Amino acid sequence: MMDVRRAGERYRGGDPAAGIESLHAFSFGPHYDPDNLRFGAVIACNEERLAPGAGFDEHPHSHTEIVTWVVEGELTHRDSTGHESLVRPGDVQRLSSASGVRHVERNDGEVPLRFVQMWLAPLEPGGDPAYEVVHGIADATPYALPAAGAMLHVRRLAPGQRTAIPDARFLYAHVVRGEVLLGGEVLGPGDAARVGDAKDLEAVARGAAELLLWEMATG
């Protein structure tokens, strides 16, 4: 079964006056929806836009796997375990907040920053915080997130290109840019599909497109 959620249905958040615009795909903060708390291990998929100089001041996380995909611009990350990095388009950033960590996320650049941040629930709570950035991940290299029983696949597609969708008990697809045809539905930028028991699916790009896919075994 495939459940399509359109970009226009996302909950609007952030603080536009401070240069922060947020779009939430799941129940988030004041946007509480008991019927939209998670899919598989995914508990948040936020599209964030930060104006130059804007950002999220130091704030805490715990018991969450946080994966960030930069679309344009550069994200400055600093956390309480001493990590500081610049995350650019094509990089995958992971912060395992585990028993607790604090971090800062800012746009210290001169151009607007846009990124997609996805939160996944770990299979087991606790543990020690961990952090890594994989620079320039390739399309053919899935990013494993064993703590959440999940695998991230990045697909950058040329016009008309087809790509197989991983078979999975839970499959979450998010369109970063362009349009793709998936399961008979055309998905545009910001659209997402939640597929239960995904099998023998493929996506076809209608023009150049970029797609993030979460393959998950449990929910």
Side-chain angles (χ1 to χ4, degrees), residues 100-203:
V101 69
R102 302 181 67 85
H103 74 155
V104 174
E105 297 166 296
R106 297 196 56 80
N107 179 7
D108 291 332
E110 299 179 353
V111 298
L113 165 65
R114 182 160 67 100
F115 62 95
V116 180
Q117 189 169 90
M118 297 152 287
W119 298 7
L120 288 83
L123 298 173
E124 299 290 341
D128 296 323
Y131 178 81
E132 73 171 343
V133 178
V134 178
H135 296 289
I137 194 166
D139 286 13
T141 306
Y143 180 77
L145 196 63
M151 189 89 71
L152 175 64
H153 303 262
V154 178
R155 296 286 189 268
R156 304 177 187 91
L157 305 174
Q161 184 177 352
R162 297 173 179 267
T163 185
I165 301 298
D167 293 345
R169 183 180 175 197
F170 297 95
L171 189 287
Y172 186 83
H174 173 85
V175 180
V176 177
R177 64 179 101 226
E179 289 187 340
V180 299
L181 179 65
L182 175 64
E185 294 277 357
V186 176
L187 306 179
D191 290 349
R194 308 174 188 190
V195 187
D197 296 319
K199 187 172 178 60
D200 299 329
L201 286 176
E202 69 172 9

Side-chain angles (χ1 to χ4, degrees), residues 90-104:
D91 300 342
V92 171
Q93 176 187 251
R94 173 184 61 87
L95 176 63
S96 297
S97 60
S99 57
V101 69
R102 302 181 67 85
H103 74 155
V104 174

Side-chain angles (χ1 to χ4, degrees), residues 34-56:
D35 296 322
N36 191 23
L37 298 177
R38 66 186 290 170
F39 179 77
V42 179
I43 57 176
C45 180
N46 305 330
E47 291 190 358
E48 306 286 1
R49 291 171 170 82
L50 302 183
F56 300 101

